Amino acid sequence: MDKIEVEGIKNLKGNIQISGSKNSSLPILASSLLIDDEMVISNIPNLSDIKFMIKILESLGSKVNFKNSICKIKPNQPRNLKISYELVRKMRASFLILGPLLTKYGYAEVSLPGGCAIGTRPVDLHISALEKMGAEFIIEDGYIKGKVKGRLKGCEITLKKISVGATENIIMAATLADGETIIKNAAREPEISDLSNFLVDSGAEIDGYGTNVIKIKGKKRLRGCEFSVMPDRIEAGTYALCVMGCSGNIILENVNDLICNHLKKIFKPLNVLFLSKKDNGKKLVIKRTNRFQNNVTISTKEFPGFPTDLQAQLIASLVKSEGKSVIKENIFENRFMHVSELRRMGANLKQKGSKIIIDGVKDIYGAEVMATDLRASSSLIIAGLMASGKTIVNRVYHLDRGYENLEEKLRNCGVKIRRFS
Ligand code: UD1
């Protein structure tokens, strides 16, 4: 199993090319099942989660060619309509296949995701919405088996909790359903808008994405298109928090105006981190100087709030600030697996329910630590950059799910980092 060794650094300096968004690429790849012709999707990051999704598409008969961030997909009539436990266990986003298969082929068998490292993460919202559209489900041998008589029927669905994945599954299912579907209390994440833009380019009729009411008029068929995936705002935010943790001056390249504005807004309370747009928002300059006084209170929230996917990295970046900060996790239970590892490096962190209280310390120290999930892994890398001495992060396969060329990108900013097994 691969490990990463990283040395502490005082000032990050350099340029980082931000990759295409993982959380946008995954539903877009899943939605390729809805489309009849060949499509070309660019700016797809080379990550293990993406490779899983491609494996799923191939197991369903699609011909996929993925090279140099470009994915060419030629859909085919699936040989079978089953996604095995092996694939869903490794990546929960496999569940995004359910909506497309049911609406296009009238049948799907998908292994239930089960528990995972960041809480129980149920799928009830996906299932009840598809049931309302006319699908029938049974659970057998750990699989959820769904079937539809004729076509799914458009209807009004009010999500009782905001869910990114459920919103995406419903949008995809609705594009080929009979009539209009209205999703109320929909998630507003930019990745949902990216998926919707891809589907609209493929001939779908979708309105209101980016707001909490989305309307989709079902079509008989969707055609192929060429599309470029948006940049990864979580990857961009992670590198910004590297600068927050150890100071420096970096330029993020290949971002967009929306990401610049979003990061500027969510990082505003971190009043020593300065973000400024360049080249009409295609680049974002990130700066921080000196050790800092900071008493921050931040809670995670759905978009446009502070993303839960940056919570672990935020905590790491604040462990050496002067003062007391409070970070509250509102989206997932049990998303604090990184906290005990950060403590092992000398961080002073206390947990009170869904809050972490950070009492800044003068220094933290390199140690051998264990990555437990994707974002926990990047928080340990940030801590490693801030620590004196060397840090060894174990189980970096978690990191490879969401960060393309992380070592190379950090090396370009002066970091001493290496991978070994
Ligand atoms: C997506 C992102 C993930 C991010 C999360 C929240 C992808 C591939 N993953 O995950 O990185 O952390 O959004 O921004 O895009 N819930 C239910 N019932 C359901 C579905 C969800 O109760 O049927 C709950 C979840 O347990 C959680 C909350 O709703 O508490 C939000 O989850 P959701 O937005 O669905 O997350 P994902 O789509 O799985």
Side-chain angles (χ1 to χ4, degrees), residues 314-326:
L314 175 68
I315 290 178
S317 77
L318 288 168
V319 299
K320 284 170 67 180
S321 64
E322 279 175 48
K324 210 175 229 177
S325 295
V326 180

Side-chain angles (χ1 to χ4, degrees), residues 23 92 121-126 161 163-165 309 331-332:
N23 284 355
R92 188 189 140 85
R121 301 188 80 168
V123 287
D124 55 313
L125 300 169
H126 303 239
K161 186 169 186 182
S163 159
V164 175
D309 285 352
I331 308 294
F332 291 111

Side-chain angles (χ1 to χ4, degrees), residues 8 15 67 77 88 106 182 231 239 250 313:
N15 290 25
K67 237 200 275 168
Q77 180 73 27
V88 180
I182 300 175
Y239 289 118
I250 64 169
Q313 302 90 310

Side-chain angles (χ1 to χ4, degrees), residues 134-155:
E136 287 172 13
F137 292 98
I138 54 165
I139 293 175
E140 217 171 50
D141 312 324
Y143 280 77
I144 181 135
K145 302 179 180 180
K147 61 174 192 255
V148 187
K149 283 195 201 98
R151 284 169 79 190
L152 285 173
K153 303 255 175 318
C155 62

